Amino acid sequence: MKNKSTLLAFILATAASGTTSVWADDKPFSIAIHGGAGTITKAKLTPEQQQSYRDKLTEAVNAGYKVLEKGGDSLVAIQAAINVMENSPLFNAGVGAVYTYDGAHEMDASIMDGKTMNAGAVSGVKHIKNPIKLADAVMNNSPHVMLSGAGAEEFALTQGFTLVPANHFDTESRYKQLQDAKVKLRKAEFELKAKSPDYQASNTAPQIDYLDLDYKFGTVGAVALDKKGNLAAGTSTGGMTAKRFGRIGDSPVIGAGTYAENGVCAVSATGHGEYFIRYHVAGDICARVKYQHKSIIQAADEVINQRLITAGGTGGVIAIDQRGNIATPFNTEGMYRATRKNGEPADVMIWRDM
Amino acid sequence: MKNKSTLLAFILATAASGTTSVWADDKPFSIAIHGGAGTITKAKLTPEQQQSYRDKLTEAVNAGYKVLEKGGDSLVAIQAAINVMENSPLFNAGVGAVYTYDGAHEMDASIMDGKTMNAGAVSGVKHIKNPIKLADAVMNNSPHVMLSGAGAEEFALTQGFTLVPANHFDTESRYKQLQDAKVKLRKAEFELKAKSPDYQASNTAPQIDYLDLDYKFGTVGAVALDKKGNLAAGTSTGGMTAKRFGRIGDSPVIGAGTYAENGVCAVSATGHGEYFIRYHVAGDICARVKYQHKSIIQAADEVINQRLITAGGTGGVIAIDQRGNIATPFNTEGMYRATRKNGEPADVMIWRDM
């Protein structure tokens, strides 16, 4: 059903035939995915790199779309899409996760089921190939919502997960990114220390904030509406390059980086996580839809392009409503993303216009 | 200013004198605190125990109130109140924190400033005497919002915090509670294992859910409005008795256990944390005030006594609006709480009617 006139013709034909038996197959369904937002200038990506991203985004969105097309669950669809991105070194999740200050990978993920409003999240896991799967296991097989660190991995073992070695996630480009970040951080720290003998590495925001936005981005996520009318959202990330002190970003925080509620909307976020937590971005977008009856386009746009910009927070979201409408606002130069719905081909984008 | 007629007389007198110079001192200010909600039946508490709780709640609310009365910041006031409860063995925060399954104390806390919408949170700290102070340091002196585990304690050291030994938090009653919980858990686990050889300790919710509600409660928190019109909220907890797998509850989750936004409301929650995360309770109460223009009383009541009850979630909140109105709804038998405002004496309550 690509457009209104086709839909109208179908309704008339169905009414004329006196049957509604095939109607169930015409429920709207759609999926949106993101692979991170940031200062992705057109000059920065070679045509080959662009193509790699577009190909992988297409593969990911189609993996989820196929589940939906067959009548599968939105929860299954979003995981299929996210797994493709976690398994690709192009994105900051799973293989290709950024490095912490200490040279490790500490990954976060969360998932939410709009039907039951059940949710699962993990933070700081180091040996889980697909953190989104572990978040799903927390949701389904534990009385808890959020598990962290070594405890989360102990839980994973009880669920039959195989732990992978930390070097499974290594990529040379991310390692180089860590070295670059540390050089910049150290330089800033020594400069500050020279000015003030009391200076502590931890107690100034600027030395992280001056870092290029790209050190913070690359999170992946997906939202979907299935034919049964169930919404779901999921997010997976390696967090922020050179993060320290067991920092937890917005990705595993329900209401900040991920939210889903049937009848309202589903959201997955990517960006400067601290702002997304403080402004509980995913929850706020859904609240504007639910309580102010705003469209998903308007609600998501207001939060990303007004509220967050005023606050100084950069990033974007993918959001979907109960009718399968999709919003993908971002206030950065680009956001890797793809959408697909109702028998239409996939739409794959990096910048505002392409 | 105890009542409207006094206020009116004051306004008239001020107007007659042709000056408004003392008016700044008559801005509304108020504070509310909680020390946990649960199955606190009247039969369970001896008159002496009741008195101990009432005395400590009075001390805590007055500690915060005095800050506000002198024109101090709401952020300072809530910490003064929370410190009193963290330092008392009566509550599940600081000294008297519950034990994890492995016999440790893993504490969570968060704080939010309604003026700047800045926030700080720590999870799983083991050697911090007053976790709310560390959350405050994260908010003020780091670029992050949420730090966890050993990393959070490393950050604490850079901030001049002194780590205390784990046994600082020990209390015999909490230790007994852990032993009781483990006996019940083990019994349930062996029963389930006898029925199914594939059973894993982690993969059934009931064995935790059947636990008496009291194993889950005792979190402390405070919300305040100062004379400058700034709202603040904070929450501190030892979490859930016998918790495993690095479980993180709602207390350190901004938007779930804690939220504050000037002009809207400030909320601190206590209860079965998983439900408070899934329904992002603190954020939802504020969203109803902000977008539906509901009173703080109605908004908080709807979430705690309708939405959460329908979902099966137990607990309560303290909430305060921009005019200093306070709501303290709970859907359990009792909630330790106290409020004080505008020159009035403190109001200290455990049950619905006393």
Side-chain angles (χ1 to χ4, degrees):
Chain A
M1 286 295 134
K2 281 194 191 177
N3 54 46
K4 281 184 188 169
S5 60
T6 319
L7 180 64
L8 184 62
F10 179 82
I11 290 169
L12 292 173
T14 308
S17 73
T19 171
T20 57
S21 63
V22 295
W23 190 237
D25 273 351
D26 273 77
K27 297 279 187 189
F29 64 101
S30 54
I31 182 166
I33 65 168
H34 68 75
T39 54
I40 317 162
T41 59
K42 286 175 188 174
K44 245 186 213 174
L45 288 182
T46 65
E48 293 73 26
Q49 285 172 321
Q50 267 196 48
Q51 199 53 51
S52 301
Y53 276 105
R54 289 185 197 276
D55 289 349
K56 194 51 77 174
L57 288 166
T58 306
E59 181 188 339
V61 79
N62 283 341
Y65 181 83
K66 274 177 208 157
V67 173
L68 299 174
E69 194 176 37
K70 286 181 205 154
D73 291 346
S74 51
L75 274 173
V76 177
I78 60 167
Q79 287 182 73
I82 290 170
N83 286 341
V84 169
M85 293 185 282
E86 285 177 333
N87 295 344
S88 160
L90 294 174
F91 306 100
N92 174 17
V95 178
V98 298
Y99 288 84
T100 67
Y101 192 85
D102 299 323
H105 303 286
E106 292 182 2
M107 292 163 286
D108 305 331
S110 68
I111 193 165
M112 188 157 183
D113 176 0
K115 183 167 96 175
T116 59
M117 293 195 68
N118 206 347
V122 293
S123 75
V125 295
K126 298 178 176 184
H127 308 93
I128 305 295
K129 188 182 170 214
N130 293 105
I132 195 71
K133 283 188 189 168
L134 184 55
D136 186 66
V138 171
M139 175 170 75
N140 291 315
N141 302 332
S142 94
H144 300 311
V145 167
M146 194 171 185
L147 302 183
S148 62
E153 297 194 345
E154 202 179 310
F155 171 77
L157 290 173
T158 73
Q159 296 292 305
F161 278 69
T162 303
L163 300 193
V164 298
N167 69 7
H168 168 79
F169 306 100
D170 284 351
T171 50
E172 195 174 356
S173 60
R174 295 295 185 191
Y175 191 68
K176 193 176 163 308
Q177 210 171 41
L178 172 65
Q179 305 314 316
D180 290 349
K182 285 182 86 162
V183 167
K184 288 186 191 171
L185 281 167
R186 281 301 171 95
K187 187 164 177 288
E189 282 170 15
F190 284 122
E191 281 170 10
L192 289 162
K193 213 159 192 165
K195 282 186 207 157
S196 158
D198 293 336
Y199 168 77
Q200 288 289 355
S202 60
N203 65 5
T204 45
Q207 82 267 26
I208 292 278
D209 278 347
Y210 81 88
L211 278 178
D212 192 281
L213 290 173
D214 285 347
Y215 291 105
K216 297 173 185 166
F217 296 134
T219 296
V220 309
V223 294
L225 170 73
D226 64 30
K227 292 183 182 177
K228 285 164 274 190
N230 292 321
L231 291 167
T235 310
S236 182
T237 190
M240 184 187 281
T241 298
K243 65 185 178 182
R244 275 188 277 194
F245 308 123
R247 177 255 188 187
I248 297 176
D250 64 315
S251 299
V253 176
I254 298 300
T258 303
Y259 204 70
E261 180 175 354
N262 269 14
V264 185
C265 72
V267 178
S268 171
T270 174
H272 192 161
E274 278 70 14
Y275 288 89
F276 284 70
I277 296 177
R278 290 165 52 198
Y279 291 88
H280 70 135
V281 164
D284 190 22
I285 291 170
C286 290
R288 287 165 196 248
V289 171
K290 186 174 180 180
Y291 299 135
Q292 297 189 298
H293 310 293
K294 287 184 171 155
S295 72
I296 191 73
I297 303 283
Q298 190 182 352
D301 181 68
E302 284 176 1
V303 172
I304 298 301
N305 287 315
Q306 294 173 35
R307 192 155 169 81
L308 271 192
I309 283 184
T310 307
T314 45
V317 294
I318 47 171
I320 189 168
D321 73 10
Q322 191 58 48
R323 293 176 301 282
N325 298 310
I326 290 169
T328 62
F330 52 97
N331 62 29
T332 48
E333 289 185 63
M335 180 167 82
Y336 300 111
R337 64 200 188 280
T339 62
R340 193 166 177 197
K341 56 165 117 174
N342 306 330
E344 299 174 16
D347 196 8
V348 181
M349 307 272 280
I350 301 176
W351 296 286
R352 236 159 278 283
D353 54 344
M354 61 183 278
Chain B
M1 287 294 132
K2 282 193 188 174
N3 53 48
K4 281 185 188 170
S5 60
T6 318
L7 181 63
L8 184 63
F10 179 84
I11 291 169
L12 292 172
T14 306
S17 74
T19 172
T20 56
S21 62
V22 296
W23 189 237
D25 275 351
D26 274 76
K27 297 281 188 189
F29 63 102
S30 56
I31 182 168
I33 64 167
H34 68 76
T39 54
I40 317 162
T41 60
K42 287 177 187 173
K44 246 187 212 172
L45 287 182
T46 64
E48 292 73 26
Q49 286 173 320
Q50 266 196 48
Q51 200 53 51
S52 302
Y53 276 106
R54 289 185 195 277
D55 289 349
K56 194 52 75 174
L57 288 166
T58 305
E59 183 188 337
V61 80
N62 283 342
Y65 181 83
K66 274 176 208 159
V67 173
L68 298 175
E69 194 176 37
K70 285 182 206 154
D73 291 345
S74 51
L75 274 174
V76 177
I78 60 166
Q79 288 183 73
I82 290 170
N83 286 341
V84 170
M85 293 185 281
E86 284 177 333
N87 294 343
S88 160
L90 293 174
F91 307 99
N92 174 18
V95 178
V98 299
Y99 288 84
T100 67
Y101 192 83
D102 299 323
H105 303 285
E106 290 182 4
M107 292 164 287
D108 305 331
S110 68
I111 193 165
M112 188 156 182
D113 176 359
K115 184 168 96 176
T116 59
M117 294 196 68
N118 206 346
V122 292
S123 75
V125 296
K126 298 179 174 185
H127 308 93
I128 305 296
K129 189 181 169 215
N130 292 105
I132 194 73
K133 282 187 188 169
L134 184 54
D136 186 65
V138 172
M139 175 170 74
N140 291 316
N141 302 332
S142 95
H144 301 311
V145 167
M146 195 170 183
L147 302 183
S148 62
E153 298 194 346
E154 200 178 310
F155 171 77
L157 290 173
T158 73
Q159 295 293 305
F161 278 70
T162 303
L163 301 193
V164 298
N167 69 7
H168 168 79
F169 305 100
D170 284 351
T171 51
E172 196 175 356
S173 60
R174 295 294 185 193
Y175 191 68
K176 196 178 161 303
Q177 211 171 39
L178 173 64
Q179 305 313 316
D180 291 350
K182 285 181 86 161
V183 167
K184 287 186 192 172
L185 281 168
R186 282 300 171 96
K187 189 165 175 285
E189 282 169 18
F190 284 123
E191 281 171 10
L192 289 164
K193 213 158 190 165
K195 281 187 209 156
S196 157
D198 293 336
Y199 168 77
Q200 287 289 354
S202 60
N203 65 5
T204 46
Q207 82 269 24
I208 292 276
D209 277 348
Y210 82 88
L211 278 178
D212 191 281
L213 289 173
D214 285 346
Y215 290 105
K216 297 173 185 166
F217 295 134
T219 297
V220 310
V223 294
L225 170 74
D226 64 30
K227 292 180 181 179
K228 284 163 274 189
N230 292 321
L231 291 167
T235 310
S236 182
T237 190
M240 185 188 280
T241 298
K243 66 185 178 181
R244 275 188 275 194
F245 308 122
R247 178 253 186 188
I248 297 176
D250 64 315
S251 298
V253 176
I254 298 301
T258 303
Y259 205 69
E261 181 175 355
N262 270 14
V264 185
C265 72
V267 177
S268 170
T270 174
H272 193 160
E274 277 71 13
Y275 288 89
F276 285 70
I277 296 176
R278 290 166 51 198
Y279 291 88
H280 70 136
V281 164
D284 190 23
I285 290 170
C286 291
R288 286 166 197 247
V289 170
K290 187 173 181 181
Y291 299 135
Q292 298 189 297
H293 309 292
K294 287 185 171 156
S295 72
I296 190 73
I297 303 285
Q298 189 183 351
D301 182 67
E302 283 176 1
V303 172
I304 299 301
N305 287 315
Q306 293 172 35
R307 191 153 168 85
L308 270 192
I309 283 184
T310 306
T314 46
V317 295
I318 49 172
I320 190 169
D321 72 11
Q322 191 58 46
R323 294 176 300 284
N325 298 310
I326 290 169
T328 62
F330 52 98
N331 61 29
T332 48
E333 288 184 63
M335 179 167 81
Y336 298 111
R337 64 202 188 278
T339 63
R340 193 167 177 196
K341 57 166 117 172
N342 306 329
E344 298 175 18
D347 196 8
V348 182
M349 307 273 279
I350 302 176
W351 297 285
R352 237 158 277 280
D353 55 343
M354 61 182 277

